[in-house]
Amino acid sequence: MLRERRRAWRESGRASRERESAEPASRQRNGREREPREDADGLLRNPPPLPPLLRGVRRRWLSVLVLLGLGQAGLAALSAWALVKLQEAPTGASPLLLRALVLLVLAALAVGALKVHERVVAEKLGQDYVHQLRLHLLGDALTPGHATSLGVTVARTTNDLSGVRNWVSQGIAPLTVAVPLIGGSLVTLAVLHPALALAMAAPLLVLGLCLVFWARTALVKTRRMRRTRGRLASRIADTVTASDGILASGGTRRELRNLRDASGRLVEIAVDRAETVGTIRAGGIVASTLTALLVAATGAFLGLAPGITMAAMAVAGIASTPVLEIGRIVEYRQTYRAARMVLGPALAGAAARREQASARRRAGAEAAPPVMPPAGQGAERLVHLELPGLTEPGDALRAWAGDRVRLVSEDPAAPRDFVRRLLELSPGPEGAAPDATWVAGENLRALRSKRVRMLVGYAGAGAVFEPGTVARALHYRRPDLDAAHDQEILDLVGLDVSALPDGARTRLRRGGEPLGRGDRARLALARALYGTPPLLIVDALEGDLDDDGRRMLERVLTGYPGMVLLTGSDDLARRLEAREYRLRSLTAAERGTTAGVGTDSEDE
């Protein structure tokens, strides 16, 4: 009975956690809805949270920072004690004077060593957290439905993540050290005389009240600057990408003028923000200076012994170091909050897209198998493709090894949507039935990517290759195969790598240079053919080839032993004697969901 109760309790707790994780974070705060909304001043209220900082090894690093702060406070107290003892030493050289001086020097060196260790641990903390966020953002770029431009992605993974790193490593970490250091110093001053602790606390309190006002102004200006910088980064990326068309159309001056105007607005906003940031930093410097001066003035006003006053000034001097950085810490905090207003929605959207893709894959993996031929009668040669929304109900695309099928539709975008859905490059319409994708008797949605790439080869127009050598690009889909057939497959597609600087070891940059457009298409076809997958997809590839290349493509596809799925020209399909499979046209609503979940924000 007790065991059953424990099991029921665990299941209840698991169900509760699943319900909580399924709810948006904005609905989990204080038990009421708190949806993100933008204020009139441009600030985003209730942005989705970033992943928690206190996870794994980062907890231990924060604990180390607290210990480093306590250690520095202890060294400040030890220095104060040494200064008091120093006053008791007789005039001239004496053992007591020597011991006190040695203790002060060792304490100063120890404080320096702790500062070095503090900086190292703080950098580990910031870099580890940003590493996690960077992988989330880059994972979004490899998720079906991703629709973020290159400029925005670069801005988020560099500029915005830099703001997060600065706050964690140079904001949270110094504060973690500063709290025990300042607290311990106040205790030490209170032991020497309570008025000394009050003298040190007074400027800190005034600084805190001023920062409450200045911080919001800094946040508004930081948000405006980052939005402007995000727009500029996106515009620069788009302009550089379209550089050939701009040059050919004589639009260089026009685009440079537009970029100059956008850059000029950024300069004006950055200068305006610098005034507020400078005020905040100046406040920290003034407060840091006043802590030592007020402590000294209080000691003189109360007529305290010179030794106690000197000790108090030494303690205040050590504690004033983090106070000096308060202004910079507040600046980092506001920069982080502005970055979070961008990264929070971006990470939440990425999580939603990943969940949608995973849900559709799970549904496809659990779908009932189609009617298959009896065992031993060709099931391993059958391709069965049914993508609800694109294929008519009850009319799946079924073909056998050796068949050539061309996708056609009244909607010119439908064939490409079919290919992208099949390859899981874009999600399907919400609420649609799961995809049924069977190749050689196996459900693609139930397989790992390693097995899927053995079954499906893809070659499309406008091929862009990952950084690496030509040989790596050729083997990218099938790295498990050796290089015994490399020359054979290269000869088949007519790609002569001997003309390249380093042959097959030539490194490809910027998407495929130094290969031209036609050679990139040949390399893409060679990659798709490698290992002879049962399903070969050729997506309008002939548009990138010259006449000789089109004849090569026809020859290769005519003799290919597997099933070939085509999009492209009527001429190639007619020469291959390919049969047509007609896709349905997507509605406007279906087109929107198929294109992807989420788009770039207006400001980023």
Side-chain angles (χ1 to χ4, degrees):
M1 179 66 69
L2 180 60
R3 185 175 300 172
E4 293 178 355
R5 289 182 179 178
R6 289 178 176 173
R7 185 183 300 111
W9 179 82
R10 285 196 299 268
E11 292 177 353
S12 175
R14 187 182 303 112
S16 176
R17 288 192 297 272
E18 290 176 354
R19 286 194 301 270
E20 291 176 357
S21 62
E23 295 177 355
S26 58
R27 299 173 183 267
Q28 298 178 24
R29 301 172 185 170
N30 301 327
R32 64 178 185 275
E33 287 191 12
R34 296 184 63 185
E35 296 295 338
R37 60 182 178 84
E38 188 167 347
D39 290 346
D41 54 12
L43 298 183
L44 183 66
R45 294 290 183 181
N46 310 320
L50 300 184
L53 177 64
L54 294 177
R55 288 293 185 273
V57 71
R58 294 196 292 265
R59 292 179 176 177
R60 178 163 57 85
W61 288 337
L62 279 172
S63 301
V64 171
L65 290 173
V66 172
L67 294 177
L68 290 174
L70 292 175
Q72 293 180 49
L75 290 172
L78 183 62
S79 300
W81 178 81
L83 285 172
V84 172
K85 290 297 182 181
L86 189 63
Q87 297 299 312
E88 300 176 0
T91 303
S94 66
L96 180 59
L97 176 64
L98 181 61
R99 286 195 296 268
L101 287 176
V102 170
L103 188 58
L104 287 173
V105 172
L106 291 177
L109 294 175
V111 169
L114 292 182
K115 278 293 182 182
V116 172
H117 196 49
E118 172 192 335
R119 188 69 190 90
V120 172
V121 174
E123 192 65 24
K124 287 181 179 179
L125 183 70
Q127 291 292 350
D128 185 80
Y129 186 59
V130 166
H131 172 69
Q132 177 186 350
L133 297 182
R134 186 182 296 115
L135 291 182
H136 278 299
L137 291 172
L138 296 179
D140 176 38
L142 301 176
T143 301
H146 171 76
T148 305
S149 70
L150 175 62
V152 171
T153 301
V154 172
R156 288 176 180 172
T157 53
T158 54
N159 184 39
D160 291 324
L161 288 186
S162 177
V164 175
R165 185 198 68 82
N166 286 339
W167 165 238
V168 174
S169 63
Q170 301 183 52
I172 292 178
L175 282 176
T176 305
V177 175
V179 170
L181 172 57
I182 295 175
S185 299
L186 289 173
V187 171
T188 302
L189 291 178
V191 170
L192 294 175
H193 196 286
L196 298 175
L198 292 176
M200 178 177 171
L204 299 180
L205 179 61
V206 173
L207 175 63
L209 294 176
C210 293
L211 290 179
V212 171
F213 171 77
W214 291 332
R216 179 175 177 80
T217 303
L219 177 59
V220 172
K221 293 182 178 181
T222 300
R223 168 71 168 163
R224 188 168 63 216
M225 185 187 73
R226 297 181 78 85
R227 296 177 74 170
T228 305
R229 188 157 52 191
R231 291 194 194 101
L232 180 60
S234 181
R235 188 181 192 108
I236 290 174
D238 293 342
T239 301
V240 172
T241 303
S243 59
D244 289 348
I246 293 171
L247 290 171
S249 303
T252 303
R253 289 188 177 181
R254 186 188 319 153
E255 295 303 322
L256 287 177
R257 183 174 63 250
N258 293 334
L259 289 174
R260 183 174 61 249
D261 294 341
S263 179
R265 286 192 296 271
L266 177 61
V267 171
E268 294 175 1
I269 293 172
V271 172
D272 180 54
R273 173 181 174 271
E275 182 180 358
T276 302
V277 171
T279 302
I280 292 176
R281 292 201 177 191
I285 296 173
V286 171
S288 174
T289 305
L290 286 177
T291 52
L293 294 179
L294 289 180
V295 165
T298 302
F301 176 77
L302 297 176
L304 300 178
I308 294 179
T309 302
M310 287 180 58
M313 291 181 63
V315 172
I318 294 176
S320 67
T321 302
V323 179
L324 190 66
E325 299 178 351
I326 287 294
R328 186 173 60 177
I329 290 173
V330 172
E331 178 189 355
Y332 289 149
R333 169 64 179 171
Q334 304 315 317
T335 303
Y336 159 77
R337 291 182 64 189
R340 179 188 164 187
M341 293 176 189
V342 175
L343 295 176
L347 292 174
R353 285 189 289 273
R354 283 193 294 270
E355 178 55 34
Q356 179 183 356
S358 298
R360 288 197 60 82
R361 171 169 269 275
R362 289 193 301 268
E366 297 169 358
V371 177
M372 292 288 189
Q377 297 187 19
E380 71 283 353
R381 301 174 64 246
L382 176 66
V383 174
H384 177 100
L385 305 176
E386 186 174 2
L387 305 182
L390 287 168
T391 58
E392 296 290 352
D395 184 25
L397 192 165
R398 290 172 71 92
W400 303 84
D403 286 349
R404 312 287 179 263
V405 180
R406 180 189 175 216
L407 299 175
V408 295
S409 174
E410 295 179 359
D411 180 0
R416 180 163 180 78
D417 289 337
F418 185 95
V419 172
R420 290 183 62 81
R421 278 269 301 280
L422 175 60
L423 298 175
E424 296 185 277
L425 301 179
S426 64
E430 293 183 6
D435 299 339
T437 54
W438 292 75
V439 176
E442 298 187 66
N443 185 353
L444 297 182
R445 299 297 185 256
L447 302 176
R448 302 185 61 158
S449 59
K450 182 177 180 179
R451 179 58 182 164
V452 171
R453 66 181 185 235
M454 294 181 181
L455 299 175
V456 181
Y458 168 76
V464 177
F465 295 96
E466 60 288 332
T469 63
V470 173
R472 181 176 185 268
L474 176 62
H475 286 266
Y476 196 79
R477 204 188 101 255
R478 293 297 305 272
D480 54 305
L481 298 180
D482 57 32
H485 301 287
D486 283 11
Q487 193 57 49
E488 177 184 345
I489 199 73
L490 291 175
D491 291 341
L492 179 65
V493 300
L495 180 59
D496 182 14
V497 297
S498 62
L500 297 176
D502 298 314
R505 296 181 178 274
T506 301
R507 296 194 65 83
L508 301 178
R509 296 180 176 86
R510 291 184 289 275
E513 294 180 4
L515 295 179
R517 180 180 176 184
D519 285 341
R520 294 186 197 187
R522 292 175 187 267
L523 182 57
L525 180 61
R527 173 193 282 187
L529 294 170
Y530 214 98
T532 318
L535 173 59
L536 175 64
I537 302 173
V538 179
D539 185 11
L541 190 66
E542 69 271 22
D544 286 353
L545 296 168
D546 55 16
D547 291 341
D548 183 61
R550 294 188 187 96
R551 287 191 291 270
M552 174 276 300
L553 180 63
E554 179 185 351
R555 183 176 65 254
V556 169
L557 298 185
T558 300
Y560 191 72
M563 184 259 183
V564 177
L565 186 64
L566 294 167
T567 70
S569 68
D570 296 335
D571 187 51
L572 178 62
R574 185 174 57 256
R575 293 199 304 271
L576 293 174
E577 299 181 353
R579 68 179 174 91
E580 292 185 348
Y581 179 83
R582 186 162 296 277
L583 302 171
R584 64 182 295 269
S585 300
L586 293 177
T587 65
E590 291 171 335
R591 175 76 60 208
T593 21
T594 303
V597 181
T599 57
D600 294 349
S601 63
E602 179 185 357
D603 60 304
E604 295 297 331

